[in-house]
Amino acid sequence: MKQNRSNNHQIESDTQYTKLCKAFDSLDESQFDIVIDSSTEKVHLDARAQQFFVLSTPLPLNQFDAYFTPANKLIETAPIRSGTNFRYRGIEKEVHHLSAYETRTETAPHLKHIRFKRIDLFDPSKLTEIEEKLINQRQLFAIISHEMRTPVATLQMLIEDLEQGAPSSKHTEQMKNTVDHLMSVLQDMTQAVNPERALPISKTAFHPNQLLIDAHSQMTRLAELNGMVVKLELIDNENIRLESDKQRIKIIVLNLIKNAIHHSKGSTINVKVEWIQRVDKGYLVLTVSDDGQGIPKEATNKIFEPFERLGTKVDGSGLGLFIVRQSLNELHGDVDVDRNEQGGARFVVKIPMVDLNAKQSEPVFRQESKDTGDLLKRLNLLVVEDDPIIRMVSKNLLGKLVNQVDVAENGHLGYEMATRKEYDLILSDFFMPVLDGRQMIQKLRKEGVSVPIVAVTAAVMGQESEALLDAGANKVIAKPISMNTFLEVVEQCVAR
């Protein structure tokens, strides 16, 4: 009796599969269909699928699944959705990329119909819109991983040195510089996703020697791990105080050194800084050269394209020199690439800027105007932040500038405080327990609270900014907030 029920079920499955075969017609050459029968744990392939996989049909599901990565995606059929990508390594060991172009659960719940499409990751014209979005996302994550790896690895090595008894005074400045670099990388990622939200040029005073020394300290360990040494040639004049965007220039230097470490295959990197004074302004000239294999002349323009690695398979996404060119465009600078006397690559960067000692003008750090200063003395501020350290630091630092700073540890408490007391400005995080920043802003706006609200968040790379602005935030800025940025917020959102 049991055998008869099994035979009847098999006949029913075969009949339903025959009906599904009608859908196999009128496909383009890159598409083919399979039907997974969970009751018999077998896979049925259409003619195109049999030809592509070089497999007969039907065949055991676990046997078919063994050819795919990620593993068990076919056996655990629930995760398969339109756009799910697979790597298939066939009998001839050649790897193919496939996308679940369309999936349907047919009349019988134990049958799942999947239409595969072969995709070419290196030819965007052959990709569907959803495939292109998925590949662009993977490229973005590769960029983030590549650009964040160096500062995070540097911090890890410094921490390991401290654990092994190294003097903390030696590492404190390096750790601070590395954190600054990490924050600048996050800002670069923000600009890559939302270029219209790039931070404006922030001019500060600095001596170029100190900038190079800071960059050298961050790159020394990475160079050592790759069997290389970084040498500096500094400016003799100690009285220079240049005014420009120090952080962007530092990013340029770091990426040029990192590029030489990963690509030159040499042993020494020379970094030289010069100051050329003109009547009204001058030029900072930075030269980064190596004793490696050099760059072919015909490739000197291509190397600044995103994801370009000249056919090499070194670690990273190929974004470093793209960031160099992008930063130089913002600073109205330029870069030349050629071969040096040793045959290695030489990058010469030229950036126009001002020597404050020659100009005798503005102070090093931005000072608020008298009107802004008077406003700060009267300003009542609410900071909504779940991180206890950031809450403490915000209260202490901002408390020195404004009349009063209140803090709340989540959006619910922030909402209650903002509806009980009048504030001149609210600074709020996004991701918080109980009630997040977006939800808090929405509730306050529905209650008619019109106080300026500025979201201060690390989540500025995706759709979070739009969500906060749509909820009613006046402005979204990146964490951590600097004193200069806070003054700009007060002038833009409160004074007006």
Side-chain angles (χ1 to χ4, degrees), residues 156-171:
Q156 184 179 22
M157 289 183 288
L158 291 171
I159 291 170
E160 289 175 355
D161 284 350
L162 289 173
E163 290 176 342
Q164 294 174 7
S168 59
S169 58
K170 175 185 175 182
H171 290 69

Side-chain angles (χ1 to χ4, degrees), residues 148-163 171-183 217-218 221:
M148 293 183 68
R149 184 177 290 114
T150 298
V152 171
T154 301
L155 285 174
Q156 184 179 22
M157 289 183 288
L158 291 171
I159 291 170
E160 289 175 355
D161 284 350
L162 289 173
E163 290 176 342
H171 290 69
T172 301
E173 189 64 26
Q174 290 185 37
M175 294 180 77
K176 179 181 181 299
N177 290 334
T178 305
V179 170
D180 289 342
H181 178 211
L182 185 57
M183 297 310 302
S217 69
Q218 288 181 228
R221 184 60 176 157

Side-chain angles (χ1 to χ4, degrees), residues 5 26 55 72 83-84 121 168 199 212 229 262 273 280 292 307 341 364 380 400 407 410 425 490:
R5 283 200 301 269
S26 68
L55 296 170
N72 301 322
T84 301
L121 298 180
S168 59
L199 287 180
L212 259 66
V229 60
H262 287 314
V273 59
D280 55 341
F307 314 119
E341 296 77 8
V364 176
N380 293 322
K400 298 176 181 178
V407 294
N410 59 59
L425 176 65
V490 171

Side-chain angles (χ1 to χ4, degrees), residues 93 127 157 232 249 262 452:
K93 305 301 182 184
L127 303 178
M157 289 183 288
L232 299 182
I249 298 172
H262 287 314

Side-chain angles (χ1 to χ4, degrees), residues 407-474:
V407 294
E409 62 188 52
N410 59 59
H412 176 69
L413 292 175
Y415 167 78
E416 289 188 336
M417 295 172 68
T419 51
R420 290 199 308 262
K421 178 179 176 180
E422 288 189 9
Y423 290 97
D424 301 297
L425 176 65
I426 298 174
L427 302 180
S428 175
D429 190 17
F430 187 171
F431 297 111
M432 295 181 291
V434 187
L435 199 69
D436 66 30
R438 180 185 62 83
Q439 295 167 330
M440 182 197 75
I441 295 170
Q442 279 182 329
K443 290 190 67 175
L444 288 173
R445 294 312 189 207
K446 286 181 180 179
E447 290 288 331
V449 177
S450 59
V451 58
I453 304 176
V454 175
V456 186
T457 175
V460 291
M461 289 196 296
Q463 301 301 316
E464 292 85 356
S465 293
E466 284 79 2
L468 289 162
L469 293 170
D470 290 344
N474 296 75

Side-chain angles (χ1 to χ4, degrees), residues 80-263:
I80 299 181
R81 297 179 177 88
S82 294
T84 301
N85 284 358
F86 298 86
R87 293 174 72 254
Y88 171 77
R89 186 180 293 274
I91 295 174
E92 298 177 355
K93 305 301 182 184
E94 184 177 357
V95 175
H96 298 274
H97 294 272
L98 303 175
S99 173
Y101 181 67
E102 184 179 356
T103 63
R104 294 199 299 267
T105 301
E106 304 294 347
T107 53
H110 60 281
L111 295 177
K112 184 154 188 175
H113 178 188
I114 303 174
R115 176 162 295 171
F116 278 121
K117 176 182 174 66
R118 283 175 288 174
I119 60 176
D120 186 347
L121 298 180
F122 305 101
D123 188 352
S125 65
K126 296 181 181 179
L127 303 178
T128 65
E129 182 178 355
I130 189 169
E131 290 163 353
E132 188 171 2
K133 285 182 178 178
L134 288 168
I135 290 169
N136 287 339
Q137 285 179 349
R138 285 198 293 272
Q139 285 181 330
L140 177 61
F141 291 139
I143 293 168
I144 295 172
S145 173
H146 165 64
E147 293 301 320
M148 293 183 68
R149 184 177 290 114
T150 298
V152 171
T154 301
L155 285 174
Q156 184 179 22
M157 289 183 288
L158 291 171
I159 291 170
E160 289 175 355
D161 284 350
L162 289 173
E163 290 176 342
Q164 294 174 7
S168 59
S169 58
K170 175 185 175 182
H171 290 69
T172 301
E173 189 64 26
Q174 290 185 37
M175 294 180 77
K176 179 181 181 299
N177 290 334
T178 305
V179 170
D180 289 342
H181 178 211
L182 185 57
M183 297 310 302
S184 68
V185 167
L186 291 174
Q187 175 56 35
D188 277 339
M189 297 302 101
T190 301
Q191 186 172 342
V193 179
N194 295 311
E196 71 280 1
R197 291 210 182 100
L199 287 180
I201 297 296
S202 176
K203 291 186 177 182
T204 57
F206 64 95
H207 194 290
N209 285 355
Q210 188 58 54
L211 185 149
L212 259 66
I213 291 170
D214 292 344
H216 180 268
S217 69
Q218 288 181 228
M219 290 289 105
T220 297
R221 184 60 176 157
L222 181 64
E224 289 175 351
L225 292 174
N226 287 270
M228 303 185 73
V229 60
V230 181
K231 297 181 177 180
L232 299 182
E233 186 175 340
L234 304 176
I235 297 174
D236 292 335
N237 187 351
E238 296 181 359
N239 296 321
I240 295 174
R241 282 172 61 241
L242 302 183
E243 184 184 53
S244 185
D245 193 318
K246 176 183 175 182
Q247 196 58 47
R248 276 183 168 86
I249 298 172
K250 187 175 178 182
I251 288 171
I252 292 169
V253 176
L254 288 170
N255 276 297
L256 289 176
I257 297 174
K258 187 162 48 175
N259 178 74
I261 291 173
H262 287 314
H263 296 275

